[in-house]
Amino acid sequence: MTEVHVAGVGLTHFGRHPERTGRDLFGEAVQRAVTDAGVPRDDIDHLNYGNFMGALAERQAHQAPLMAEAGGLQCPATRYEEACASAGVAVREAVKSIRSGERDVMLAGGMERMTNMGTAGATEGLAIAADELHEVHAGITFPGAYALMASAYFDQYGGSRADLANVAVKNHANALGNEYAQYQREITVAEAMDSPPVADPLHLFDACPITDGAAGLVLVSGEYADEHAVDAPVTITGTGQGGDKMALQDREYLAQTPAARDAADEAYAEAGVKPQDVDVAEVHDCFTIAEVLALEALGFYEVGEGIGAARRGETTRDGDRPVNLSGGLKAKGHPVGATGASQIAELTRLLRGDHPNSDAVPDAEVGLAHNAGGTVASAVVHVLEVAR
Amino acid sequence: MSTHGADETPRDAGYDDWLDGIEAGEGIYLSCPNDHGSLPPRRVCPHCGSPELTEEPLPGTGEIESVTVVHVAAPSHADDVPYATAIADFGPVRLTGMVRGVEPDAVEVGTTVAPTVERTETRDERVLVFRPR
């Protein structure tokens, strides 16, 4: 089976760009990824594109060929939609296409335009990732669904709002030097605690922002990299996907995410690594509680133990295993359909040594990206390794 | 976004029928030969795939398992805030609904509730409601 190399990565600034079209955002990400890779655009065989709610945000469906065009790609394109895990799935399917020998060079990425919808519109749009009949009718919002998970976690395992605030503080601190991040400013535990409630126990600073942005990756086969002397030291060595029932009420667990556990188990097995081998991780912290649930599902902590990780300093920049050195969804921003690819772009930069926070993990060899859809009814995990 | 008021068409077959039942005090759930519970609309059991689903009476009360007070709502529920939404355990199935009859902040895990169907403030749409028993 051929290796899959990350030859190039491209990100737009994540933030408020209400007047920028989706095609403009994605075109910029592709331009940067292709430039970073140094691979001829014409060699790209296929675009795998992630997008969640472009039909609502821009009244634009059938986005894949439009985005190939925006990127100047002369190849077919397919859109992947798996809510917030859309780009993770797009990357995973690209990895599988290259491994199968079907394709040699692929562009995998995604885009979301959200701030033009306003807070109410985006809240409504995000809610469609939940079960329309049994959840949305009952007033469940995206923060509300994660609040139910947080409430159940507190009830079953303990923990406090202060523990969650420490996750937010950590991720804001990590975003400080990241030029692509939406919030490049520090916050305090007190500020986070005092922010207004969105859905108890989650407050405003427990939530990721509404974000416009795009991400792209150029992925190439080992044969192509060798033949064309592509400088691509980072490889994707494991990919996994898991699923769960759509509505929280139909799940076995309210405070665990077995879909992420299953995805991680598959990715670890493919890569031949264990949770303790992971040096640095980007996890899907759409809400602070989501990072906690991810740490446990990925096997970094026992169930019920992940809540204090940030407070204890174990997942901070100076900790044993830094998590979300990019700033995470919380501070870097969460353009839904781009997030899964942006995590791999950030990990690649961290492992290559050209990320502003690479100095926090100078010897890192194994990175992990965890991308979740909805309330983790779907999850994708990738393991990345760097040749040192 | 579609609306689902009782007087509007089209209805969501299965789901709206299920709400009708709860409204009439004749709530049901679906059971398969392996005793998995689920809620309509279903053709097969979501837990084992069995097509042999039978309608069973929904237990009259459930217990709140998790609750949140929503302060920032979607436009469909904007005038209802703040409201409590909870997942309640009815034994073979869990239900998700708004909690009324108690201050939102006072709703506690473990509270015994009964399901009913009421209307949202915002759009006068039907909504599953839990009231403490």
Side-chain angles (χ1 to χ4, degrees):
Chain A
M1 193 163 64
T2 186
E3 288 188 327
V4 179
H5 292 254
V6 184
V9 305
L11 297 168
T12 65
H13 175 257
F14 281 13
R16 292 186 57 82
H17 302 287
E19 294 180 359
R20 285 187 65 182
T21 60
R23 64 190 84 185
D24 177 53
L25 290 164
F26 194 69
E28 182 187 354
V30 171
Q31 178 62 31
R32 287 190 171 159
V34 168
T35 303
D36 185 44
V39 167
R41 213 177 282 250
D42 286 351
D43 283 2
I44 294 171
D45 299 323
H46 199 96
L47 165 64
N48 280 14
Y49 170 75
N51 176 261
F52 170 52
M53 57 176 174
L56 296 177
E58 296 197 287
R59 300 189 62 77
Q60 181 66 66
H62 202 187
Q63 289 202 3
L66 177 70
M67 295 303 166
E69 189 183 323
L73 308 179
Q74 313 301 318
C75 62
T78 309
R79 172 187 158 198
Y80 291 85
E81 190 274 305
E82 199 88 346
C84 315
S86 297
V89 176
V91 172
R92 172 173 160 77
E93 293 303 318
V95 168
K96 289 162 68 176
S97 292
I98 292 172
R99 282 179 177 175
S100 76
E102 182 190 9
R103 294 173 182 135
D104 276 321
V105 185
M106 294 189 66
L107 197 307
M111 183 285 299
E112 208 73 54
R113 185 180 182 190
M114 302 174 71
T115 65
N116 67 319
M117 302 171 80
T119 300
T123 300
E124 184 172 41
L126 289 167
I128 67 173
D131 183 322
E132 161 72 6
L133 295 180
H134 288 286
E135 295 188 316
V136 178
H137 281 198
I140 294 263
T141 58
F142 189 39
Y146 270 94
L148 287 168
M149 297 168 89
S151 166
Y153 188 102
F154 286 172
D155 186 55
Q156 290 174 39
Y157 309 120
S160 67
R161 282 195 53 228
D163 289 324
L164 296 181
N166 274 276
V167 176
V169 168
K170 167 179 75 72
N171 293 348
H172 269 262
N174 286 341
L176 264 187
N178 187 350
E179 72 272 30
Y180 298 112
Q182 185 160 0
Y183 293 142
Q184 297 172 44
R185 73 176 184 90
E186 286 192 273
I187 61 167
T188 64
V189 169
E191 262 184 286
M193 298 282 286
D194 292 342
S195 64
V198 175
D200 285 319
L202 301 180
H203 286 229
L204 187 61
F205 282 24
D206 287 300
C208 67
I210 293 166
T211 310
D212 306 305
L217 311 170
V218 177
L219 304 177
V220 303
S221 65
E223 289 76 9
Y224 182 93
D226 290 344
E227 194 178 323
H228 296 82
V230 180
D231 178 23
V234 174
T235 53
I236 297 178
T237 55
T239 176
Q241 185 172 351
D244 204 343
K245 300 290 179 287
M246 181 80 160
L248 289 173
Q249 66 182 21
D250 296 324
R251 301 212 187 138
E252 187 173 357
Y253 303 103
L254 295 182
Q256 292 184 42
T257 54
R261 184 191 62 212
D262 293 347
D265 286 348
E266 186 180 2
Y268 287 142
E270 278 192 5
V273 302
K274 294 183 162 48
Q276 55 267 35
D277 297 325
V278 175
D279 299 307
V280 56
E282 289 287 310
V283 310
H284 196 95
D285 59 326
C286 48
F287 299 94
T288 48
I289 186 65
E291 176 165 316
V292 174
L293 297 172
L295 297 180
E296 296 176 2
L298 296 170
F300 299 162
Y301 291 87
E302 296 294 321
V303 170
E305 299 293 322
I307 184 80
R311 177 174 46 75
R312 294 190 297 264
E314 295 158 4
T315 50
T316 55
R317 180 192 163 87
D318 301 323
D320 288 344
R321 183 194 289 110
V323 171
N324 285 329
L325 277 174
S326 70
L329 284 60
K330 173 71 194 84
K332 193 186 66 171
H334 180 28
V336 170
T339 286
S342 77
Q343 293 173 316
I344 292 173
E346 294 286 52
L347 266 184
T348 299
R349 297 199 303 146
L350 285 161
L351 293 172
R352 289 193 311 208
D354 60 327
H355 192 282
N357 284 332
S358 284
D359 59 349
V361 285
D363 303 319
E365 293 180 345
V366 179
L368 179 144
H370 157 276
N371 185 205
T375 46
V376 205
S378 48
V380 183
V381 169
H382 285 98
V383 173
L384 277 65
E385 297 185 59
V386 67
R388 289 209 186 273
Chain B
M1 195 164 170
S2 60
T3 56
H4 297 268
D7 304 330
E8 297 177 21
T9 52
R11 286 162 54 94
D12 287 316
Y15 175 76
D16 279 311
D17 302 332
W18 177 72
L19 278 188
D20 289 347
I22 289 178
E23 199 163 18
E26 297 166 359
I28 58 104
Y29 73 96
L30 303 176
S31 183
C32 79
N34 293 316
D35 291 331
H36 297 133
S38 62
L39 299 176
R42 303 276 182 195
R43 285 178 180 271
V44 298
C45 172
H47 303 287
C48 67
S50 169
E52 295 172 44
L53 299 180
T54 57
E55 291 190 358
E56 303 292 337
L58 183 72
T61 59
E63 193 173 284
I64 288 182
E65 190 174 338
S66 189
V67 61
T68 180
V69 180
V70 175
H71 295 268
V72 180
S76 55
H77 294 76
D79 299 338
D80 288 82
V81 294
Y83 58 86
T85 288
I87 296 174
D89 184 1
F90 282 74
V93 288
R94 294 196 198 100
L95 272 59
T96 307
M98 273 192 188
V99 188
R100 288 180 177 170
V102 55
E103 283 301 306
D105 286 332
V107 179
E108 289 180 354
V109 170
T111 303
T112 300
V113 293
T116 178
V117 176
E118 299 182 7
R119 300 231 161 216
T120 60
E121 296 284 331
T122 312
R123 290 184 183 166
D124 194 32
E125 290 169 341
R126 294 205 297 177
V127 58
L128 184 75
V129 164
F130 298 137
R131 283 189 174 266
R133 267 298 162 85

